[in-house]
Amino acid sequence: MFRSFRSFNYRIWFLGAVISNIGGWMQATAQDWVVLTELTANDATAMGVTMALQFGPPLVLVSLTGWVADRFDRRRVLLCTQTVLMLLAVAVAVLLLTDVMTLPLMFCFAAAFGVANAFDAPARQAFVSDMVSMEDMSNAVALNSASFNMARLIGPAVGGVLIVVMGSGWVFVANAVTFLAMIVALLLIRSPELTPRSKHRRNGGLAEGFRYVRGRSDLVVVFVMVFLIGAFGMNFPIYASTMALEFGREADGYGVLSSVLAIGSLTGALLAARRDRARVRVLVLAAGGFGLASLLSAAMPGYWSYAAVLILVGFSTVTMLTTANGYVQTTTDAALRGRVLALYMAVIMGSTPVGAPIAGWIVDTFSARTSIMVGGVAGLTAFAIGVGWMMRSGRLHRDAEARFRLTLDETRPISVIREMDPTSYDDRTAATTPIRLPRDGA
């Protein structure tokens, strides 16, 4: 399960990521609660706009962020993005502690966080492949998800308590401090031990990555499934905060719901780490599980029964996302991995600007439960799309060794064959040994 820890670089990275992610989840909890209760009067639409501004830049800047992740040293890119994110957290903290923060200002900072994360996310995802071997990549991706959800288990609960005890501004201060853990980890990483990067001589940019994905029906289906659930099902800050208010809870109650969600998420990530590789069928089943769990959560009558079902929601969500991430990384040509991952991150993060305002509007117009049900239907739709592709693709067939068992052919890493650079070979006629044919009758 922990075979990626054999790499010193990955061990350092994992430790720094856990600490930094805890701070990130604390800040996310504080930001959502500030917009919902301090800057507005429980306005879920404003919260959806904030999420749209924060997650929109990866979609708008995808042509640039993927190129940066492939073209430049990813460790240096991450050092820059982490430093910028730390400074932004400090600025928000100062404005909150001095009572200067307004909703338009928070919108501006949400967009700034989004721009920094737009460059950070594809570089961070692709950097994992630089620290481990191809055989351990799927495991490393799953452990990355485990660290993210381990932090999610702690961060929101701690953030909710700090909001009540100290105020939301100090939560942003705490997050700024945790960024130092990731920055130190990046400085300690041994560059000579990183996997050599594939050289990409052509300047196709994002268009080449897009053509690559378009030629892979399996990747298209994965992207569509992730988009549907990301846009309409994964608006957890809106769902959890408004449901907490419906049950008469404060910021600490919202934080507990986020942490309970992380229990299932962490379990899903650890189970994904046990698998030898990412499989499409696991992704499809997880999408169906997400849809059913979401519909069930919308019907729960009390706070704790709703929280209990969130464990299933978190489990299916992370199983789906971890499998999708691992599948994209392990079956994509290394020379295009940064661009394809930028497209993937644009889909998963860019789906929020589409779905979050809609989810917030549904909450304000109808109810939080109705919005959750819409997300559940999106999960079942993604499940149907995945099943349909498996049946039409011809990869689903009867197992050769078991009459009543079906199996799905797996996709292996696919390389792109490129034109040879005319300057890389000598066109002089090569000297060869003449071939003598025997004469008739000899």
Side-chain angles (χ1 to χ4, degrees):
M1 180 185 294
F2 301 103
R3 57 184 180 273
S4 296
F5 284 164
R6 292 176 296 191
S7 166
F8 169 83
N9 285 340
Y10 189 80
R11 291 197 304 270
I12 293 295
W13 165 270
F14 185 89
L15 180 60
V18 169
I19 297 173
S20 181
N21 285 333
I22 289 174
W25 278 111
M26 291 167 59
Q27 175 173 298
T29 303
Q31 177 179 293
D32 297 336
W33 197 255
V34 165
V35 173
L36 188 65
T37 64
E38 297 181 21
L39 301 180
T40 68
N42 300 341
D43 189 345
T45 302
M47 191 173 175
V49 172
T50 304
M51 292 175 62
L53 290 171
Q54 186 164 349
F55 293 100
L59 183 62
V60 177
L61 300 173
V62 61
S63 60
L64 180 60
T65 58
W67 177 78
V68 169
D70 274 339
R71 176 65 178 82
F72 296 100
D73 185 293
R74 291 164 184 158
R75 187 169 71 102
R76 294 181 180 178
V77 171
L78 290 172
L79 282 170
C80 292
T81 57
Q82 292 291 299
T83 302
V84 170
L85 288 168
M86 180 179 65
L87 294 176
L88 287 172
V90 171
V92 174
V94 171
L95 293 175
L96 286 172
L97 292 173
T98 56
D99 293 325
V100 179
M101 180 62 73
T102 62
L103 186 60
L105 275 176
M106 184 61 84
F107 285 163
C108 292
F109 275 102
F113 279 119
V115 171
N117 279 314
F119 288 92
D120 185 84
R124 179 191 291 256
Q125 297 292 330
F127 190 56
V128 173
S129 63
D130 296 341
M131 292 184 286
V132 299
S133 63
M134 176 64 73
E135 293 75 16
D136 291 337
M137 191 183 301
S138 181
N139 175 257
V141 170
L143 289 178
N144 250 24
S145 179
S147 83
F148 183 77
N149 288 286
M150 192 186 308
R152 191 176 192 173
L153 186 64
I154 302 169
V158 175
V161 172
L162 287 179
I163 293 171
V164 174
V165 175
M166 302 179 64
S168 55
W170 290 105
V171 179
F172 283 86
V173 173
N175 179 49
V177 174
T178 62
F179 274 114
L180 295 175
M182 178 57 77
I183 293 173
V184 171
L186 289 168
L187 292 174
L188 291 177
I189 281 177
R190 301 169 181 171
S191 298
E193 296 181 12
L194 296 174
T195 302
R197 297 272 297 278
S198 298
K199 300 298 182 183
H200 186 61
R201 300 180 64 89
R202 292 168 60 181
N203 295 319
L206 184 69
E208 191 167 356
F210 181 79
R211 285 193 295 269
Y212 179 82
V213 173
R214 187 176 58 185
R216 294 269 308 275
S217 64
D218 54 335
L219 289 183
V220 172
V221 168
V222 169
F223 280 33
V224 170
M225 292 174 64
V226 168
F227 175 81
L228 282 174
I229 295 180
F232 303 106
M234 289 173 51
N235 297 300
F236 300 127
I238 296 176
Y239 301 151
S241 59
T242 52
M243 289 296 284
L245 291 174
E246 179 178 321
F247 292 125
R249 303 285 174 150
E250 297 295 333
D252 53 347
Y254 167 43
V256 168
L257 287 180
S258 298
S259 294
V260 168
L261 182 75
I263 295 175
S265 302
L266 179 59
T267 304
L270 291 176
L271 287 179
R274 292 178 61 89
R275 302 187 188 100
D276 56 346
R277 61 181 181 273
R279 294 178 170 88
V280 173
R281 58 176 174 266
V282 175
L283 170 64
V284 174
L285 290 174
F290 173 85
L292 294 175
S294 296
L295 292 175
L296 181 60
S297 70
M300 290 297 101
Y303 177 83
W304 290 112
S305 60
Y306 174 72
V309 178
L310 283 185
I311 296 176
L312 299 177
V313 175
F315 175 81
S316 55
T317 301
V318 170
T319 299
M320 181 197 69
L321 293 181
T322 303
T323 304
N325 192 320
Y327 185 81
V328 171
Q329 292 215 43
T330 56
T331 65
T332 298
D333 177 41
L336 293 173
R337 188 171 293 135
R339 267 155 280 200
V340 174
L341 280 171
L343 284 171
Y344 174 77
M345 297 308 298
V347 168
I348 192 171
M349 298 178 71
S351 60
T352 301
V354 175
I358 297 174
W361 175 81
I362 294 174
V363 171
D364 289 337
T365 306
F366 301 99
S367 67
R369 295 178 187 272
T370 303
S371 191
I372 295 172
M373 291 175 64
V374 171
V377 172
L380 294 180
T381 302
F383 170 77
I385 291 173
V387 171
W389 173 80
M390 287 193 299
M391 296 179 66
R392 292 194 306 270
S393 66
R395 300 185 185 190
L396 186 67
H397 54 81
R398 192 174 67 183
D399 194 293
E401 300 179 357
R403 178 177 298 180
F404 300 106
R405 187 173 67 188
L406 296 176
T407 184
L408 180 68
D409 294 338
E410 298 295 336
T411 301
R412 300 297 180 180
I414 296 176
S415 298
V416 177
I417 306 300
R418 310 188 187 284
E419 298 176 298
M420 183 180 290
D421 188 338
T423 62
S424 64
Y425 66 92
D426 189 348
D427 59 355
R428 290 176 297 180
T429 303
T432 59
T433 303
I435 300 176
R436 301 182 181 277
L437 298 177
R439 297 179 181 178
D440 292 336

